[in-house]
Amino acid sequence: MYCKKECIAMLLAGGQGSRLYDLTKQTAKPAVSYGGKYRIIDFPLSNCINSGIDTVGVLTQYEPLALNDYIGNGAPWDLDRARGGLSVLPPYQNGRNADWYKGTANAIFQNINFIRKYDPDYVLILSGDHIYKMDYRKMLAYHKARGAACTVATITVPIEEASRFGICNTNPDGSIYEFEEKPAQPKNDQASMGIYIFNTSTLIDYLVLDEADPNSSKDFGKNVIPNLLRSGERLFAYPFSGYWKDVGTISSLWEANMDLLSDSPELHLSDKSLRIYSKNTARPPQFIGAGAEIRNSMISEGCIIHGTVENSVLSGGVEIARGAYVSNSVILSDVKIESGAKVCFSIVDSDSVIGTGVSVGNEKGDRSDITVVAKGSCLTLSQNNENGGSTK
Amino acid sequence: MSTSGIIFSNLSDTTLSRLTSDRTVAAIPFGCRYRLVDFALSNMVNSDITDISIVANYNYRSLTEHIGSGKDWDLARRDGGIKTISPYQCAHSADAPMYSHRLEAILSMSEHIFGMKSDVVVLSDCDNILNIDLNAVISVHRANGADLTVVTAPCTPSYSAKLPQMMLKTNEDGKVIDIVKSTHQTASHPERSLNIFVVDTVYLQQIIEIAKAHNYRSMTDDILMKDTESSNFYSYCYRGFVAPVGTFIDYYESSIRIATDPDARLSLLGRRERPIYTRVHNSAPSLYKGKGKVTNSMIADDCVIMGEVENSILFRGVKVGRGAVVKNSILFGNCIIGENSSVNCIVADKSVTISDSCHLSGHDTLPFYVSKGKHV
């Protein structure tokens, strides 16, 4: 059945996120928790539906169980549609061969038939690694207005960190004359956000070309974008301003959570104009007991608080016993912190138990000294910090 | 062997008048994020009853908005699922009166009941809040070979209801011998009806025939209390926590109780095997800022608390300003309590704003109600 869409999104969600260590041992990075009730992938998916894009292919590969379970049929984002909607696209076998996705470009290449099915004029390429709110419609309008073949969203980063990113060197009119992936000597501070809009025909042509190149690493930033430039295609940088956080490391993930607690947060989760949707579990409201003390914290549904919580973000169903103390930490869902336990500067993954009297994390820690407690750990006094707790 | 459900949404409208000025009883907010109908619905869904009708006769806009397609209760089904039955006037009976009794409501949907494929129907009001395994009730109903089983709660001798209720006398097998209407229990009638009934579909169809033939209007007066002993009625005595919400003061006391009594809260909301489902709003988690202090309270999502909150229930999106004090109160969605204000023993309906440095107090026997959208 012919089902034309103007623009569809392809969301690269196969990343391992190896620098998140234990947090991504059993979970793909896009399914990592953030901000109490969200997962990273909620941001690009919510941005899509808030931008009127109702057809999204989610490309999965690494540890897809938790991710697949989470996204389901896309209903939480209103992406369960009779025409279009959300499709999970894992690597697959075909008549000729069976291949893992070998790079971001190869992953899209292997799903060209999915793209063709919707006959879109434009394809939006997204990754599931960042926390940001963006109206992709504005970027698409910018792309159309400039008659671009490809538009790359960029954000200003501190120049000393610019060598971690793909840097766009642009002319005054916004057109890109050079794209450098992780340059040692960056020429400016305009970093690619890993968000691209392509004219569909351009995308398919260059993916086919790239696939035929045995020396290519099949990557958008390293191969496809430079190839477009070499061939003289019209590439434009779309400057985005607003909150954008790469949560690829333990310290950046911790920091992104702490950003929500600042007095004037740059990212407004309760702002209803670009709302972030997430899968809701049927948890009861949070209950704050008689002895509880909560200071500057974000608390989610199903939490039961009898102890002290400060400067922390708690996911659903966390129980903090009387006499327990939690500060400067991110506590993921269904963690139990027993009486007398102390958790500081830590990220405690879901279903863990911090036993009576156990102390986790450095009380005088900072963003570079965050302790991670792996999913399902059970720390008791006799084996305090022996295993389960890994430090980064 | 399947079961259908019928939920009556309006039966206590008059006794909860303040809260029902623009909503039906079923749609009254309760317990931070729920509406009363969520408990009846979740009890049914958790007992595998997935063919449910909600009978609503007026003020049902907020109810239908809340229910939507039924997706949040997993009731958006190809077969069965949920439907709202609202009154309509037939061409031949344009002067038919609006129903106000359970039996009249049943008569109005007799065509639906005669078309039911299930062999048992659960009828439920929304005036008692509990988390019950209806499968257990249905098994006992079947084992007794009963026509109708009334779910009851045991009453202590000190029990005193605000309104007369059905009090049951049963024999040692649980068969109902006699029913009276009273506000107090007596030694002979120690169980009160929770207005949840399990009925054989065939018997319900017979009731409809009898009611039509005799022009009966009341299920209680004309069916249950008539020739009780010779009928085949049984009781199922539920011993868990029940929150009565049939009157305004009941509603207030039950709400404060689930905020402050952990056992009541766990019995109602904390059962992992039987969660209470409700409409999902995608609100952000709540923020505790500044010198706020919260004790013994239940807080929904998207609240921002900068003041003091004690023994209270805050619904979604409530803001408590710096230096404000909220005690023994129930604040519905999007209420704003201004800086250095205080409220005590109030029930504030949706979107009430209390200005800065404003003090408002009811009494725990006479809580003060502030109507929807009011600026104080």
Side-chain angles (χ1 to χ4, degrees), chain B residues 42-54:
Chain B
S42 299
N43 284 336
M44 290 185 180
V45 169
N46 288 332
S47 306
D48 309 314
I49 300 170
T50 56
D51 177 10
I52 301 174
S53 314
I54 299 187

Side-chain angles (χ1 to χ4, degrees), chain A residues 249-260:
Chain A
T249 63
I250 297 290
S251 57
S252 63
L253 178 63
W254 177 84
E255 202 170 54
N257 278 284
M258 293 302 136
D259 286 347
L260 295 169

Side-chain angles (χ1 to χ4, degrees), chain A residues 35 37-38 80 261-262 270 272 275 277-278 280 283-290 292 296-299 301, chain B residues 31-34 71 259 265 277 280-289 293-299 301-302:
Chain A
K37 65 184 290 193
Y38 305 96
D80 53 333
L261 302 178
S262 81
S270 53
K272 292 181 174 65
R275 200 191 288 235
Y277 302 95
S278 67
N280 284 265
R283 293 187 192 274
Q286 52 195 281
F287 174 72
I288 314 300
N296 197 41
S297 292
M298 183 175 243
I299 314 257
E301 287 168 349
Chain B
C32 279
R33 60 180 307 221
Y34 305 101
K71 201 189 241 178
R265 183 168 42 80
Y277 302 97
V280 164
H281 280 261
N282 288 289
S283 320
S286 286
L287 274 169
Y288 295 75
K289 307 290 285 182
K293 169 112 181 105
V294 180
T295 50
N296 260 335
S297 294
M298 252 173 41
I299 315 283
D301 269 353
D302 213 14

Side-chain angles (χ1 to χ4, degrees), chain A residues 13 25 63-64 78 97 143 194 204 268 296 328 342-343 351 356:
Chain A
K25 216 170 187 173
E63 282 289 345
D78 206 12
N97 46 21
H143 175 85
I204 293 178
H268 289 282
N296 197 41
N328 299 295
K342 195 169 180 181
V343 179
D351 302 313
T356 304

